[in-house]
Amino acid sequence: MTRKTSAANPVLDRLLFPLAQRFVAGRTIPEAVQAVRRLNQDGIRATLDVLGENVREQRSAVAAVNSYLETLEWIHRSQIESNVSLKLTQMGLDIERQFCYSNVARICHKAAETGNFVRVDMEGSGYTEATLSLFLDLNQSYKNVGIVTQAYLRRSAQDLERINEAKARVRLCKGAYKEREEIAFQRMPEIRESFKRLVEQLFSHGTYPAIATHDDQLIRWTQECIRQNRIGKDQFEFQMLYGVRPETQRALAREGFRVRVYVPYGTHWLPYFSRRLRERKENIYFVLRHLFKR
Ligand code: FDA
């Protein structure tokens, strides 16, 4: 893959990419593979994400598909322990549903050939139903595909029923987009309660769930939940983000839990980096301090 500057603009790229590298494994596949190797050495699996979202042109979506096909080939050849995660708006969901479906199907097909797995990330609420419905269609032909559910959305328990019925794999997270009160819980205690209810729903009716959080309260609660319900450590995964709480990732792996880290890479890093900054005000102060020091 050639080394390109950020899709945003070259000035932002020069100023901010060094900071974004806390959360982004690099611009190229070899850099990302190197990051995955380091995780694998600590007994941690990965899911590689080629950064990109909201593409408006068919050729950008096709380029993203090719990057994923190349990534799957690299995973296979380098024998790293990783699957892939992608976003439907990167695959052309805003352009045309059937075009998007065919693009993701190509990736699922390639992943199936090498015994690999594809996770469809969940984006802002304007895409929830379209993502879920396209995913459920895809799941009829491809069993090596899973989806994400966001605990802050009030609709998520019903969505899980549909997904569990299809026996598909779910990654549960809190949700990273700004959503309206009518459709999404806003306060952390409510989001945590919803998260716990959904974990229970996944453990009782789901298929190999992924519990994606760095929140100690929820991690401890999940550990207690599996202990009480005699659920094996091999029946689910904890998932975390590259660059967030790496000591906790390693500690959980040492305790015998399955841990998978989401490893994003590529040139379209700005929207992803902005979401990571918004999650913690300390991150924003860190960026501002860096910019004013220059
Ligand atoms: P919370 O935000 O409360 O953080 C708990 C602790 O983790 C913090 O106190 C801090 O120590 C650390 N932490 C968390 N975020 C940090 C950050 N940005 N910088 C530094 N420290 C941080 N969302 C979505 O809408 N769609 C998706 O498809 C996905 N996919 C996804 C995959 C995986 C593997 C993970 C872990 C997360 C996602 N997310 C996501 C993001 C998710 O919705 C959520 O925004 C973040 O995980 C932060 O929520 P926590 O549950 O970690 O708790």
Side-chain angles (χ1 to χ4, degrees):
M1 176 181 270
T2 50
R3 186 184 167 99
K4 290 177 263 172
T5 50
S6 162
N9 81 44
V11 179
L12 271 183
D13 193 88
R14 193 166 43 79
L15 281 179
L16 290 183
F17 190 69
L19 301 179
Q21 278 181 295
R22 170 176 171 195
F23 302 109
V24 174
R27 291 186 177 94
T28 63
I29 298 186
E31 289 168 300
V33 167
Q34 201 44 43
V36 173
R37 273 196 211 290
R38 285 194 295 271
L39 290 165
N40 288 173
Q41 277 161 10
D42 288 328
I44 296 171
R45 298 147 207 243
T47 182
L48 275 166
D49 168 59
V50 183
L51 288 162
E53 51 202 271
N54 291 111
V55 306
R56 303 277 170 218
E57 292 175 14
Q58 291 209 354
R59 65 190 165 97
S60 309
V62 171
V65 174
N66 290 335
S67 296
Y68 273 99
L69 299 179
E70 204 184 341
T71 302
L72 284 163
E73 191 58 35
W74 270 79
I75 293 172
H76 180 57
R77 293 236 177 118
S78 53
Q79 299 197 318
I80 50 173
E81 183 67 67
S82 181
N83 56 38
V84 295
S85 292
L86 55 79
K87 291 186 173 44
L88 292 192
T89 66
Q90 176 185 24
M91 297 291 134
L93 188 61
D94 288 326
I95 301 168
E96 209 237 318
R97 187 187 196 269
Q98 187 52 41
F99 171 68
C100 177
Y101 180 96
S102 315
N103 284 337
V104 187
R106 281 179 68 199
I107 296 170
C108 292
H109 186 81
K110 168 80 181 174
E113 279 176 357
T114 54
N116 214 326
F117 178 81
V118 178
R119 177 81 61 180
V120 176
D121 288 345
M122 191 55 84
E123 303 177 64
S125 60
Y127 296 107
T128 312
E129 188 52 42
T131 302
L132 184 52
S133 123
L134 194 147
F135 166 76
L136 290 170
D137 285 353
L138 204 61
N139 183 249
Q140 294 192 3
S141 305
Y142 298 95
K143 295 299 164 198
N144 61 330
V145 58
I147 193 166
V148 176
T149 300
Q150 297 155 322
Y152 64 11
L153 288 188
R154 297 179 193 274
R155 58 177 284 165
S156 287
Q158 277 112 49
D159 290 347
L160 270 197
E161 280 177 24
R162 291 161 71 189
I163 303 166
N164 287 343
E165 204 171 304
K167 300 203 182 318
R169 279 161 60 170
V170 170
R171 172 201 297 149
L172 177 66
C173 64
K174 284 181 184 164
Y177 298 80
K178 178 125 193 67
E179 301 293 359
R180 288 170 293 120
E181 164 105 55
E182 302 90 273
I183 59 164
F185 300 113
Q186 307 290 320
R187 294 172 43 250
M188 193 52 86
E190 287 177 321
I191 298 172
R192 284 199 179 109
E193 283 315 305
S194 166
F195 196 103
K196 290 176 188 173
R197 286 194 298 273
L198 297 170
V199 171
E200 283 172 338
Q201 197 176 341
L202 280 170
F203 279 144
S204 49
H205 301 292
T207 306
Y208 192 65
I211 312 301
T213 183
H214 318 88
D215 184 334
D216 277 331
Q217 271 193 41
L218 291 176
I219 293 169
R220 279 197 297 271
W221 183 88
T222 302
Q223 289 169 327
E224 186 52 27
C225 178
I226 63 155
R227 200 185 59 76
Q228 282 183 8
N229 294 289
R230 297 173 193 274
I231 295 164
K233 286 178 177 170
D234 59 350
Q235 302 297 296
F236 76 105
E237 286 179 355
F238 280 118
Q239 292 194 357
M240 297 195 189
L241 300 175
Y242 181 78
V244 179
R245 308 204 64 193
E247 297 81 19
T248 308
Q249 297 169 9
R250 288 193 286 268
L252 286 169
R254 277 196 304 273
E255 287 168 42
F257 290 100
R258 290 188 176 184
V259 181
R260 188 178 298 274
V261 167
Y262 186 99
V263 180
Y265 82 92
T267 53
H268 297 258
W269 49 268
L270 193 59
Y272 179 85
F273 181 48
S274 310
R275 283 196 290 280
R276 300 292 78 82
L277 292 185
R278 268 205 311 273
E279 274 158 3
R280 274 179 78 72
K281 50 180 187 310
E282 290 88 336
N283 291 349
I284 296 178
Y285 298 146
F286 175 67
V287 170
L288 290 175
R289 270 202 309 277
H290 170 85
L291 291 180
F292 283 116
K293 253 200 275 169
R294 294 173 63 92

